mmCIF file of all heavy atoms in Angstrom:
data_model
loop_
_atom_site.group_PDB
_atom_site.id
_atom_site.type_symbol
_atom_site.label_atom_id
_atom_site.label_comp_id
_atom_site.label_asym_id
_atom_site.label_seq_id
_atom_site.Cartn_x
_atom_site.Cartn_y
_atom_site.Cartn_z
ATOM 1 N N LEU A 4 -1.236 6.469 1.616
ATOM 2 C CA LEU A 4 -2.326 6.807 2.516
ATOM 3 C C LEU A 4 -2.330 5.988 3.778
ATOM 4 O O LEU A 4 -2.640 6.471 4.844
ATOM 5 C CB LEU A 4 -3.645 6.616 1.782
ATOM 6 C CG LEU A 4 -3.840 7.677 0.723
ATOM 7 C CD1 LEU A 4 -4.877 7.244 -0.263
ATOM 8 C CD2 LEU A 4 -4.223 8.986 1.369
ATOM 9 N N ARG A 37 -5.852 13.153 6.327
ATOM 10 C CA ARG A 37 -7.097 13.372 5.575
ATOM 11 C C ARG A 37 -7.793 12.065 5.189
ATOM 12 O O ARG A 37 -8.865 12.092 4.595
ATOM 13 C CB ARG A 37 -6.807 14.161 4.307
ATOM 14 C CG ARG A 37 -5.891 13.425 3.337
ATOM 15 C CD ARG A 37 -5.781 14.176 2.036
ATOM 16 N NE ARG A 37 -4.825 13.563 1.124
ATOM 17 C CZ ARG A 37 -4.719 13.928 -0.148
ATOM 18 N NH1 ARG A 37 -5.491 14.872 -0.618
ATOM 19 N NH2 ARG A 37 -3.834 13.349 -0.918
ATOM 20 N N LEU A 39 -10.135 9.098 5.061
ATOM 21 C CA LEU A 39 -11.428 8.810 5.668
ATOM 22 C C LEU A 39 -11.413 7.417 6.296
ATOM 23 O O LEU A 39 -10.788 6.494 5.766
ATOM 24 C CB LEU A 39 -12.534 8.889 4.617
ATOM 25 C CG LEU A 39 -12.723 10.262 3.959
ATOM 26 C CD1 LEU A 39 -13.766 10.179 2.846
ATOM 27 C CD2 LEU A 39 -13.123 11.310 4.995
ATOM 28 N N HIS A 42 -12.257 4.589 4.012
ATOM 29 C CA HIS A 42 -11.188 4.143 3.122
ATOM 30 C C HIS A 42 -10.117 3.349 3.858
ATOM 31 O O HIS A 42 -9.538 2.417 3.301
ATOM 32 C CB HIS A 42 -10.582 5.344 2.392
ATOM 33 C CG HIS A 42 -11.500 5.920 1.356
ATOM 34 N ND1 HIS A 42 -11.502 7.251 1.012
ATOM 35 C CD2 HIS A 42 -12.470 5.342 0.603
ATOM 36 C CE1 HIS A 42 -12.428 7.465 0.081
ATOM 37 N NE2 HIS A 42 -13.025 6.319 -0.168
ATOM 38 N N ARG A 45 -11.672 -0.074 4.160
ATOM 39 C CA ARG A 45 -11.822 -0.792 2.893
ATOM 40 C C ARG A 45 -10.485 -1.142 2.238
ATOM 41 O O ARG A 45 -10.235 -2.282 1.891
ATOM 42 C CB ARG A 45 -12.666 0.034 1.899
ATOM 43 C CG ARG A 45 -14.156 0.056 2.253
ATOM 44 C CD ARG A 45 -14.950 0.837 1.209
ATOM 45 N NE ARG A 45 -14.618 0.404 -0.137
ATOM 46 C CZ ARG A 45 -15.051 -0.725 -0.703
ATOM 47 N NH1 ARG A 45 -15.857 -1.523 -0.031
ATOM 48 N NH2 ARG A 45 -14.684 -1.038 -1.923
ATOM 49 N N GLN A 46 -9.655 -0.113 2.038
ATOM 50 C CA GLN A 46 -8.409 -0.390 1.318
ATOM 51 C C GLN A 46 -7.280 -0.811 2.247
ATOM 52 O O GLN A 46 -6.520 -1.715 1.937
ATOM 53 C CB GLN A 46 -7.979 0.833 0.498
ATOM 54 C CG GLN A 46 -8.694 0.935 -0.830
ATOM 55 C CD GLN A 46 -9.744 2.029 -0.812
ATOM 56 O OE1 GLN A 46 -9.430 3.164 -0.484
ATOM 57 N NE2 GLN A 46 -10.960 1.690 -1.148
ATOM 58 N N GLY A 56 -21.782 4.843 -0.821
ATOM 59 C CA GLY A 56 -22.817 5.037 -1.830
ATOM 60 C C GLY A 56 -23.064 6.492 -2.178
ATOM 61 O O GLY A 56 -23.847 6.785 -3.069
ATOM 62 N N ASP A 58 -21.467 10.921 -1.479
ATOM 63 C CA ASP A 58 -20.382 11.748 -0.975
ATOM 64 C C ASP A 58 -20.908 12.932 -0.181
ATOM 65 O O ASP A 58 -20.258 13.955 -0.065
ATOM 66 C CB ASP A 58 -19.467 12.189 -2.122
ATOM 67 C CG ASP A 58 -20.229 12.366 -3.417
ATOM 68 O OD1 ASP A 58 -21.264 13.063 -3.377
ATOM 69 O OD2 ASP A 58 -19.844 11.780 -4.423
ATOM 70 N N LEU A 101 -24.268 -17.079 12.597
ATOM 71 C CA LEU A 101 -24.607 -15.716 12.211
ATOM 72 C C LEU A 101 -25.237 -14.970 13.378
ATOM 73 O O LEU A 101 -25.848 -15.571 14.268
ATOM 74 C CB LEU A 101 -25.610 -15.748 11.054
ATOM 75 C CG LEU A 101 -25.100 -16.306 9.728
ATOM 76 C CD1 LEU A 101 -26.265 -16.480 8.752
ATOM 77 C CD2 LEU A 101 -24.036 -15.386 9.136
ATOM 78 N N GLN A 105 -28.300 -10.868 10.981
ATOM 79 C CA GLN A 105 -27.941 -11.448 9.678
ATOM 80 C C GLN A 105 -28.956 -12.530 9.283
ATOM 81 O O GLN A 105 -29.402 -12.590 8.141
ATOM 82 C CB GLN A 105 -26.536 -12.060 9.738
ATOM 83 C CG GLN A 105 -25.440 -11.014 9.894
ATOM 84 C CD GLN A 105 -24.086 -11.636 10.177
ATOM 85 O OE1 GLN A 105 -23.938 -12.410 11.118
ATOM 86 N NE2 GLN A 105 -23.087 -11.298 9.349
ATOM 87 N N LYS A 109 -31.743 -12.566 6.030
ATOM 88 C CA LYS A 109 -31.852 -13.676 5.077
ATOM 89 C C LYS A 109 -33.268 -14.263 5.109
ATOM 90 O O LYS A 109 -33.875 -14.460 4.057
ATOM 91 C CB LYS A 109 -30.817 -14.743 5.428
ATOM 92 C CG LYS A 109 -30.765 -15.916 4.461
ATOM 93 C CD LYS A 109 -29.584 -16.819 4.812
ATOM 94 C CE LYS A 109 -29.654 -18.152 4.097
ATOM 95 N NZ LYS A 109 -29.524 -18.080 2.642
ATOM 96 N N ASP A 110 -33.780 -14.468 6.292
ATOM 97 C CA ASP A 110 -35.084 -15.126 6.404
ATOM 98 C C ASP A 110 -36.230 -14.273 5.880
ATOM 99 O O ASP A 110 -37.208 -14.793 5.358
ATOM 100 C CB ASP A 110 -35.366 -15.496 7.870
ATOM 101 C CG ASP A 110 -34.931 -16.900 8.179
ATOM 102 O OD1 ASP A 110 -33.738 -17.187 7.935
ATOM 103 O OD2 ASP A 110 -35.767 -17.710 8.624
ATOM 104 N N HIS A 112 -35.936 -11.851 3.587
ATOM 105 C CA HIS A 112 -35.588 -11.278 2.276
ATOM 106 C C HIS A 112 -35.383 -9.763 2.390
ATOM 107 O O HIS A 112 -35.936 -8.990 1.619
ATOM 108 C CB HIS A 112 -36.689 -11.611 1.248
ATOM 109 C CG HIS A 112 -36.332 -11.256 -0.166
ATOM 110 N ND1 HIS A 112 -35.053 -11.306 -0.668
ATOM 111 C CD2 HIS A 112 -37.107 -10.827 -1.199
ATOM 112 C CE1 HIS A 112 -35.063 -10.923 -1.938
ATOM 113 N NE2 HIS A 112 -36.285 -10.631 -2.280
ATOM 114 N N GLN A 115 -31.378 -7.366 -1.469
ATOM 115 C CA GLN A 115 -31.378 -7.825 -2.859
ATOM 116 C C GLN A 115 -29.960 -7.698 -3.425
ATOM 117 O O GLN A 115 -29.224 -8.666 -3.513
ATOM 118 C CB GLN A 115 -32.441 -7.090 -3.668
ATOM 119 C CG GLN A 115 -33.860 -7.474 -3.189
ATOM 120 C CD GLN A 115 -34.971 -6.809 -3.966
ATOM 121 O OE1 GLN A 115 -34.847 -6.504 -5.140
ATOM 122 N NE2 GLN A 115 -36.095 -6.565 -3.286
ATOM 123 N N CYS A 116 -29.558 -6.470 -3.810
ATOM 124 C CA CYS A 116 -28.193 -6.340 -4.350
ATOM 125 C C CYS A 116 -27.153 -6.470 -3.261
ATOM 126 O O CYS A 116 -25.996 -6.773 -3.532
ATOM 127 C CB CYS A 116 -28.020 -5.032 -5.116
ATOM 128 S SG CYS A 116 -27.725 -3.576 -4.093
ATOM 129 N N MET A 124 -27.546 -3.372 8.569
ATOM 130 C CA MET A 124 -27.533 -4.327 9.694
ATOM 131 C C MET A 124 -26.856 -3.704 10.918
ATOM 132 O O MET A 124 -27.283 -3.937 12.051
ATOM 133 C CB MET A 124 -26.806 -5.610 9.285
ATOM 134 C CG MET A 124 -27.574 -6.424 8.240
ATOM 135 S SD MET A 124 -26.911 -8.093 7.982
ATOM 136 C CE MET A 124 -25.219 -7.734 7.547
ATOM 137 N N GLU A 139 -42.467 -1.063 14.791
ATOM 138 C CA GLU A 139 -42.055 -0.927 13.388
ATOM 139 C C GLU A 139 -41.725 0.535 13.074
ATOM 140 O O GLU A 139 -40.791 0.823 12.319
ATOM 141 C CB GLU A 139 -43.150 -1.450 12.455
ATOM 142 C CG GLU A 139 -43.302 -2.954 12.548
ATOM 143 C CD GLU A 139 -44.070 -3.550 11.374
ATOM 144 O OE1 GLU A 139 -44.389 -2.804 10.420
ATOM 145 O OE2 GLU A 139 -44.332 -4.759 11.411
ATOM 146 N N ARG A 143 -38.235 2.014 11.521
ATOM 147 C CA ARG A 143 -38.141 2.893 10.345
ATOM 148 C C ARG A 143 -37.379 4.173 10.679
ATOM 149 O O ARG A 143 -36.558 4.647 9.894
ATOM 150 C CB ARG A 143 -39.543 3.225 9.805
ATOM 151 C CG ARG A 143 -40.195 2.076 9.060
ATOM 152 C CD ARG A 143 -41.574 2.441 8.513
ATOM 153 N NE ARG A 143 -42.180 1.315 7.816
ATOM 154 C CZ ARG A 143 -41.980 1.024 6.520
ATOM 155 N NH1 ARG A 143 -41.208 1.797 5.779
ATOM 156 N NH2 ARG A 143 -42.544 -0.029 5.970
ATOM 157 N N TRP A 144 -37.647 4.724 11.846
ATOM 158 C CA TRP A 144 -36.957 5.953 12.241
ATOM 159 C C TRP A 144 -35.458 5.690 12.407
ATOM 160 O O TRP A 144 -34.611 6.439 11.906
ATOM 161 C CB TRP A 144 -37.569 6.498 13.540
ATOM 162 C CG TRP A 144 -36.842 7.696 14.061
ATOM 163 C CD1 TRP A 144 -36.023 7.760 15.145
ATOM 164 C CD2 TRP A 144 -36.830 9.012 13.488
ATOM 165 N NE1 TRP A 144 -35.508 9.023 15.291
ATOM 166 C CE2 TRP A 144 -35.976 9.808 14.287
ATOM 167 C CE3 TRP A 144 -37.446 9.588 12.374
ATOM 168 C CZ2 TRP A 144 -35.737 11.164 14.012
ATOM 169 C CZ3 TRP A 144 -37.197 10.935 12.097
ATOM 170 C CH2 TRP A 144 -36.355 11.700 12.911
ATOM 171 N N ARG A 152 -32.051 0.959 -2.245
ATOM 172 C CA ARG A 152 -32.693 1.173 -3.542
ATOM 173 C C ARG A 152 -33.460 -0.063 -4.003
ATOM 174 O O ARG A 152 -34.143 -0.003 -5.024
ATOM 175 C CB ARG A 152 -31.637 1.558 -4.587
ATOM 176 C CG ARG A 152 -30.910 2.846 -4.273
ATOM 177 C CD ARG A 152 -31.808 4.064 -4.370
ATOM 178 N NE ARG A 152 -32.137 4.399 -5.730
ATOM 179 C CZ ARG A 152 -33.308 4.933 -6.099
ATOM 180 N NH1 ARG A 152 -34.263 5.139 -5.199
ATOM 181 N NH2 ARG A 152 -33.527 5.233 -7.351
ATOM 182 N N CYS A 153 -33.305 -1.190 -3.321
ATOM 183 C CA CYS A 153 -33.876 -2.446 -3.828
ATOM 184 C C CYS A 153 -35.126 -2.912 -3.099
ATOM 185 O O CYS A 153 -36.030 -3.449 -3.713
ATOM 186 C CB CYS A 153 -32.851 -3.577 -3.740
ATOM 187 S SG CYS A 153 -31.410 -3.402 -4.799
ATOM 188 N N THR A 154 -35.164 -2.790 -1.795
ATOM 189 C CA THR A 154 -36.157 -3.559 -1.032
ATOM 190 C C THR A 154 -37.453 -2.819 -0.753
ATOM 191 O O THR A 154 -38.425 -3.445 -0.344
ATOM 192 C CB THR A 154 -35.605 -3.976 0.343
ATOM 193 O OG1 THR A 154 -35.370 -2.775 1.101
ATOM 194 C CG2 THR A 154 -34.324 -4.767 0.212
ATOM 195 N N GLY A 155 -37.467 -1.506 -0.912
ATOM 196 C CA GLY A 155 -38.667 -0.774 -0.494
ATOM 197 C C GLY A 155 -38.868 -0.818 1.011
ATOM 198 O O GLY A 155 -39.943 -0.502 1.515
ATOM 199 N N TYR A 156 -37.823 -1.228 1.741
ATOM 200 C CA TYR A 156 -37.710 -1.162 3.206
ATOM 201 C C TYR A 156 -38.566 -2.147 3.986
ATOM 202 O O TYR A 156 -38.211 -2.554 5.090
ATOM 203 C CB TYR A 156 -37.979 0.265 3.726
ATOM 204 C CG TYR A 156 -37.021 1.286 3.147
ATOM 205 C CD1 TYR A 156 -37.431 2.168 2.154
ATOM 206 C CD2 TYR A 156 -35.689 1.332 3.559
ATOM 207 C CE1 TYR A 156 -36.537 3.084 1.602
ATOM 208 C CE2 TYR A 156 -34.794 2.237 3.006
ATOM 209 C CZ TYR A 156 -35.225 3.116 2.034
ATOM 210 O OH TYR A 156 -34.360 4.011 1.481
ATOM 211 N N GLN A 157 -39.705 -2.539 3.436
ATOM 212 C CA GLN A 157 -40.648 -3.311 4.249
ATOM 213 C C GLN A 157 -40.023 -4.599 4.787
ATOM 214 O O GLN A 157 -40.179 -4.928 5.961
ATOM 215 C CB GLN A 157 -41.878 -3.654 3.412
ATOM 216 C CG GLN A 157 -42.940 -4.399 4.213
ATOM 217 C CD GLN A 157 -44.275 -4.359 3.502
ATOM 218 O OE1 GLN A 157 -44.559 -3.425 2.768
ATOM 219 N NE2 GLN A 157 -45.092 -5.355 3.707
ATOM 220 N N ARG B 23 -41.433 -20.393 -2.766
ATOM 221 C CA ARG B 23 -40.628 -19.526 -1.917
ATOM 222 C C ARG B 23 -39.350 -20.249 -1.520
ATOM 223 O O ARG B 23 -39.390 -21.320 -0.929
ATOM 224 C CB ARG B 23 -41.412 -19.150 -0.662
ATOM 225 C CG ARG B 23 -40.669 -18.180 0.239
ATOM 226 C CD ARG B 23 -41.505 -17.844 1.479
ATOM 227 N NE ARG B 23 -41.050 -16.607 2.107
ATOM 228 C CZ ARG B 23 -40.110 -16.571 3.057
ATOM 229 N NH1 ARG B 23 -39.529 -17.671 3.483
ATOM 230 N NH2 ARG B 23 -39.761 -15.399 3.577
ATOM 231 N N ARG B 26 -32.625 -16.983 -0.488
ATOM 232 C CA ARG B 26 -31.647 -16.715 -1.548
ATOM 233 C C ARG B 26 -30.259 -17.261 -1.241
ATOM 234 O O ARG B 26 -29.739 -17.110 -0.141
ATOM 235 C CB ARG B 26 -31.534 -15.204 -1.776
ATOM 236 C CG ARG B 26 -32.815 -14.571 -2.248
ATOM 237 C CD ARG B 26 -32.588 -13.236 -2.895
ATOM 238 N NE ARG B 26 -31.424 -12.541 -2.353
ATOM 239 C CZ ARG B 26 -30.787 -11.592 -3.023
ATOM 240 N NH1 ARG B 26 -31.165 -11.242 -4.229
ATOM 241 N NH2 ARG B 26 -29.758 -10.970 -2.464
ATOM 242 N N ILE B 33 -24.583 -10.856 3.549
ATOM 243 C CA ILE B 33 -24.797 -10.523 4.966
ATOM 244 C C ILE B 33 -23.509 -10.630 5.780
ATOM 245 O O ILE B 33 -23.464 -10.193 6.925
ATOM 246 C CB ILE B 33 -25.901 -11.396 5.621
ATOM 247 C CG1 ILE B 33 -25.572 -12.881 5.510
ATOM 248 C CG2 ILE B 33 -27.274 -11.082 5.038
ATOM 249 C CD1 ILE B 33 -26.563 -13.790 6.225
ATOM 250 N N ASP B 41 -15.477 -1.947 -6.504
ATOM 251 C CA ASP B 41 -14.456 -1.198 -5.768
ATOM 252 C C ASP B 41 -13.763 -2.062 -4.715
ATOM 253 O O ASP B 41 -12.819 -1.630 -4.072
ATOM 254 C CB ASP B 41 -15.073 0.054 -5.125
ATOM 255 C CG ASP B 41 -14.011 1.032 -4.653
ATOM 256 O OD1 ASP B 41 -13.078 1.305 -5.430
ATOM 257 O OD2 ASP B 41 -14.090 1.483 -3.491
ATOM 258 N N ASP B 42 -14.238 -3.304 -4.547
ATOM 259 C CA ASP B 42 -13.556 -4.218 -3.621
ATOM 260 C C ASP B 42 -12.312 -4.820 -4.267
ATOM 261 O O ASP B 42 -11.474 -5.408 -3.579
ATOM 262 C CB ASP B 42 -14.488 -5.371 -3.208
ATOM 263 C CG ASP B 42 -15.755 -4.883 -2.525
ATOM 264 O OD1 ASP B 42 -15.785 -3.722 -2.089
ATOM 265 O OD2 ASP B 42 -16.721 -5.673 -2.435
ATOM 266 N N TYR B 126 -6.656 9.483 -3.717
ATOM 267 C CA TYR B 126 -6.503 10.826 -3.167
ATOM 268 C C TYR B 126 -5.550 11.645 -4.036
ATOM 269 O O TYR B 126 -5.806 12.810 -4.348
ATOM 270 C CB TYR B 126 -5.992 10.754 -1.724
ATOM 271 C CG TYR B 126 -7.034 10.323 -0.706
ATOM 272 C CD1 TYR B 126 -7.636 9.067 -0.791
ATOM 273 C CD2 TYR B 126 -7.403 11.156 0.342
ATOM 274 C CE1 TYR B 126 -8.582 8.662 0.145
ATOM 275 C CE2 TYR B 126 -8.349 10.761 1.287
ATOM 276 C CZ TYR B 126 -8.930 9.510 1.179
ATOM 277 O OH TYR B 126 -9.865 9.126 2.100
ATOM 278 N N ASP B 130 -6.178 15.024 -6.182
ATOM 279 C CA ASP B 130 -5.297 16.200 -6.042
ATOM 280 C C ASP B 130 -4.847 16.690 -7.406
ATOM 281 O O ASP B 130 -4.863 17.899 -7.694
ATOM 282 C CB ASP B 130 -4.034 15.827 -5.244
ATOM 283 C CG ASP B 130 -4.309 15.621 -3.769
ATOM 284 O OD1 ASP B 130 -5.387 16.038 -3.300
ATOM 285 O OD2 ASP B 130 -3.446 15.032 -3.091
ATOM 286 N N PRO B 204 -31.696 6.861 -12.067
ATOM 287 C CA PRO B 204 -31.855 5.570 -11.379
ATOM 288 C C PRO B 204 -31.068 5.482 -10.079
ATOM 289 O O PRO B 204 -31.463 4.735 -9.172
ATOM 290 C CB PRO B 204 -31.331 4.541 -12.378
ATOM 291 C CG PRO B 204 -30.950 5.271 -13.618
ATOM 292 C CD PRO B 204 -31.078 6.740 -13.387
ATOM 293 N N ALA B 205 -29.967 6.214 -9.975
ATOM 294 C CA ALA B 205 -29.197 6.305 -8.730
ATOM 295 C C ALA B 205 -29.028 4.990 -7.993
ATOM 296 O O ALA B 205 -29.415 4.868 -6.830
ATOM 297 C CB ALA B 205 -29.826 7.361 -7.799
ATOM 298 N N LEU B 207 -27.312 2.412 -5.611
ATOM 299 C CA LEU B 207 -26.527 2.801 -4.428
ATOM 300 C C LEU B 207 -25.028 2.647 -4.693
ATOM 301 O O LEU B 207 -24.220 3.425 -4.201
ATOM 302 C CB LEU B 207 -26.955 1.963 -3.213
ATOM 303 C CG LEU B 207 -26.565 2.549 -1.867
ATOM 304 C CD1 LEU B 207 -27.114 3.953 -1.677
ATOM 305 C CD2 LEU B 207 -27.046 1.649 -0.734
ATOM 306 N N ASP B 290 -17.854 8.930 -8.197
ATOM 307 C CA ASP B 290 -18.561 9.261 -6.964
ATOM 308 C C ASP B 290 -20.032 9.560 -7.296
ATOM 309 O O ASP B 290 -20.441 9.536 -8.460
ATOM 310 C CB ASP B 290 -17.870 10.400 -6.201
ATOM 311 C CG ASP B 290 -17.738 11.680 -7.012
ATOM 312 O OD1 ASP B 290 -18.575 11.897 -7.914
ATOM 313 O OD2 ASP B 290 -16.810 12.465 -6.742
ATOM 314 N N ARG B 291 -20.808 9.788 -6.271
ATOM 315 C CA ARG B 291 -22.252 9.979 -6.469
ATOM 316 C C ARG B 291 -22.541 11.193 -7.370
ATOM 317 O O ARG B 291 -23.432 11.150 -8.218
ATOM 318 C CB ARG B 291 -22.941 10.152 -5.099
ATOM 319 C CG ARG B 291 -24.404 10.545 -5.145
ATOM 320 C CD ARG B 291 -25.256 9.509 -5.855
ATOM 321 N NE ARG B 291 -25.037 8.198 -5.317
ATOM 322 C CZ ARG B 291 -25.389 7.069 -5.956
ATOM 323 N NH1 ARG B 291 -25.986 7.113 -7.130
ATOM 324 N NH2 ARG B 291 -25.145 5.900 -5.413
ATOM 325 N N TYR B 376 -33.858 3.313 -15.280
ATOM 326 C CA TYR B 376 -34.726 3.393 -14.101
ATOM 327 C C TYR B 376 -35.989 2.564 -14.307
ATOM 328 O O TYR B 376 -37.101 3.049 -14.155
ATOM 329 C CB TYR B 376 -35.079 4.854 -13.816
ATOM 330 C CG TYR B 376 -35.329 5.179 -12.352
ATOM 331 C CD1 TYR B 376 -35.377 6.498 -11.915
ATOM 332 C CD2 TYR B 376 -35.527 4.182 -11.407
ATOM 333 C CE1 TYR B 376 -35.609 6.824 -10.593
ATOM 334 C CE2 TYR B 376 -35.755 4.485 -10.083
ATOM 335 C CZ TYR B 376 -35.804 5.809 -9.681
ATOM 336 O OH TYR B 376 -36.045 6.123 -8.361
ATOM 337 N N GLN B 512 -28.394 -7.883 -10.832
ATOM 338 C CA GLN B 512 -27.909 -6.742 -10.037
ATOM 339 C C GLN B 512 -28.687 -6.691 -8.733
ATOM 340 O O GLN B 512 -28.957 -5.626 -8.212
ATOM 341 C CB GLN B 512 -28.090 -5.435 -10.814
ATOM 342 C CG GLN B 512 -27.675 -5.497 -12.263
ATOM 343 C CD GLN B 512 -28.859 -5.205 -13.191
ATOM 344 O OE1 GLN B 512 -29.629 -4.291 -12.933
ATOM 345 N NE2 GLN B 512 -29.008 -5.973 -14.255
ATOM 346 N N GLY B 513 -29.085 -7.883 -8.270
ATOM 347 C CA GLY B 513 -29.852 -7.977 -7.031
ATOM 348 C C GLY B 513 -31.169 -8.709 -7.196
ATOM 349 O O GLY B 513 -31.877 -8.968 -6.221
ATOM 350 N N MET B 679 -41.472 -14.956 -3.065
ATOM 351 C CA MET B 679 -40.759 -14.077 -2.126
ATOM 352 C C MET B 679 -39.949 -13.021 -2.895
ATOM 353 O O MET B 679 -39.948 -11.842 -2.542
ATOM 354 C CB MET B 679 -39.821 -14.924 -1.253
ATOM 355 C CG MET B 679 -38.976 -14.139 -0.283
ATOM 356 S SD MET B 679 -37.655 -15.136 0.455
ATOM 357 C CE MET B 679 -36.402 -15.047 -0.842
ATOM 358 N N GLY B 683 -40.392 -8.838 -3.288
ATOM 359 C CA GLY B 683 -39.317 -7.875 -3.053
ATOM 360 C C GLY B 683 -39.128 -6.941 -4.237
ATOM 361 O O GLY B 683 -38.873 -5.747 -4.076
ATOM 362 N N HIS B 686 -41.962 -4.411 -4.091
ATOM 363 C CA HIS B 686 -41.709 -3.386 -3.066
ATOM 364 C C HIS B 686 -40.735 -2.335 -3.586
ATOM 365 O O HIS B 686 -40.900 -1.140 -3.364
ATOM 366 C CB HIS B 686 -41.105 -4.025 -1.809
ATOM 367 C CG HIS B 686 -42.063 -4.881 -1.043
ATOM 368 N ND1 HIS B 686 -41.670 -5.621 0.046
ATOM 369 C CD2 HIS B 686 -43.380 -5.146 -1.210
ATOM 370 C CE1 HIS B 686 -42.714 -6.288 0.532
ATOM 371 N NE2 HIS B 686 -43.758 -6.008 -0.215
ATOM 372 N N ARG B 687 -39.697 -2.800 -4.276
ATOM 373 C CA ARG B 687 -38.697 -1.871 -4.809
ATOM 374 C C ARG B 687 -39.331 -0.888 -5.790
ATOM 375 O O ARG B 687 -39.154 0.327 -5.682
ATOM 376 C CB ARG B 687 -37.595 -2.637 -5.534
ATOM 377 C CG ARG B 687 -36.513 -1.748 -6.103
ATOM 378 C CD ARG B 687 -35.638 -2.483 -7.098
ATOM 379 N NE ARG B 687 -36.354 -2.799 -8.315
ATOM 380 C CZ ARG B 687 -36.722 -1.928 -9.234
ATOM 381 N NH1 ARG B 687 -36.421 -0.653 -9.083
ATOM 382 N NH2 ARG B 687 -37.395 -2.286 -10.290
ATOM 383 N N THR B 690 -41.475 1.762 -4.307
ATOM 384 C CA THR B 690 -40.674 2.815 -3.676
ATOM 385 C C THR B 690 -40.145 3.777 -4.735
ATOM 386 O O THR B 690 -40.111 4.993 -4.525
ATOM 387 C CB THR B 690 -39.530 2.168 -2.873
ATOM 388 O OG1 THR B 690 -40.093 1.200 -1.990
ATOM 389 C CG2 THR B 690 -38.774 3.206 -2.059
ATOM 390 N N PRO B 720 -36.438 8.123 -1.428
ATOM 391 C CA PRO B 720 -37.240 7.765 -0.252
ATOM 392 C C PRO B 720 -36.417 6.984 0.787
ATOM 393 O O PRO B 720 -35.599 6.140 0.432
ATOM 394 C CB PRO B 720 -38.333 6.853 -0.831
ATOM 395 C CG PRO B 720 -38.362 7.130 -2.294
ATOM 396 C CD PRO B 720 -36.965 7.543 -2.667
ATOM 397 N N ALA B 722 -36.926 4.862 4.708
ATOM 398 C CA ALA B 722 -37.951 3.999 5.312
ATOM 399 C C ALA B 722 -39.136 4.807 5.826
ATOM 400 O O ALA B 722 -40.222 4.265 6.028
ATOM 401 C CB ALA B 722 -37.332 3.183 6.453
ATOM 402 N N VAL B 725 -42.177 5.699 2.950
ATOM 403 C CA VAL B 725 -42.969 4.658 2.288
ATOM 404 C C VAL B 725 -43.779 3.877 3.322
ATOM 405 O O VAL B 725 -43.362 3.724 4.462
ATOM 406 C CB VAL B 725 -42.075 3.699 1.475
ATOM 407 C CG1 VAL B 725 -41.393 4.445 0.344
ATOM 408 C CG2 VAL B 725 -41.061 2.998 2.353
ATOM 409 N N ASP B 727 -46.136 0.381 4.583
ATOM 410 C CA ASP B 727 -46.123 -1.068 4.403
ATOM 411 C C ASP B 727 -46.926 -1.363 3.134
ATOM 412 O O ASP B 727 -48.090 -0.983 3.032
ATOM 413 C CB ASP B 727 -46.803 -1.753 5.602
ATOM 414 C CG ASP B 727 -45.791 -2.159 6.666
ATOM 415 O OD1 ASP B 727 -44.577 -1.992 6.427
ATOM 416 O OD2 ASP B 727 -46.222 -2.645 7.726
ATOM 417 N N TRP B 728 -46.279 -2.013 2.194
ATOM 418 C CA TRP B 728 -46.940 -2.300 0.922
ATOM 419 C C TRP B 728 -47.904 -3.460 1.086
ATOM 420 O O TRP B 728 -47.628 -4.409 1.827
ATOM 421 C CB TRP B 728 -45.900 -2.653 -0.147
ATOM 422 C CG TRP B 728 -44.775 -1.665 -0.205
ATOM 423 C CD1 TRP B 728 -43.498 -1.849 0.241
ATOM 424 C CD2 TRP B 728 -44.826 -0.332 -0.707
ATOM 425 N NE1 TRP B 728 -42.758 -0.714 0.029
ATOM 426 C CE2 TRP B 728 -43.535 0.230 -0.545
ATOM 427 C CE3 TRP B 728 -45.826 0.436 -1.280
ATOM 428 C CZ2 TRP B 728 -43.238 1.539 -0.939
ATOM 429 C CZ3 TRP B 728 -45.526 1.733 -1.670
ATOM 430 C CH2 TRP B 728 -44.256 2.271 -1.499
#
Side-chain angles (χ1 to χ4, degrees):
Chain A
L4 289 162
R37 63 173 175 169
L39 298 175
H42 289 150
R45 286 182 49 76
Q46 278 106 54
D58 32 50
L101 294 171
Q105 292 171 305
K109 184 173 167 66
D110 267 55
H112 189 33
Q115 293 181 30
C116 80
M124 291 192 303
E139 291 197 6
R143 285 181 181 273
W144 175 253
R152 298 292 288 147
C153 294
T154 64
Y156 301 105
Q157 183 163 331
Chain B
R23 183 180 200 270
R26 297 199 330 158
I33 58 176
D41 194 47
D42 301 343
Y126 285 62
D130 287 345
L207 199 57
D290 58 27
R291 172 61 52 197
Y376 210 166
Q512 315 119 43
M679 177 192 82
H686 290 174
R687 181 194 69 72
T690 307
V725 296
D727 266 355
W728 311 106

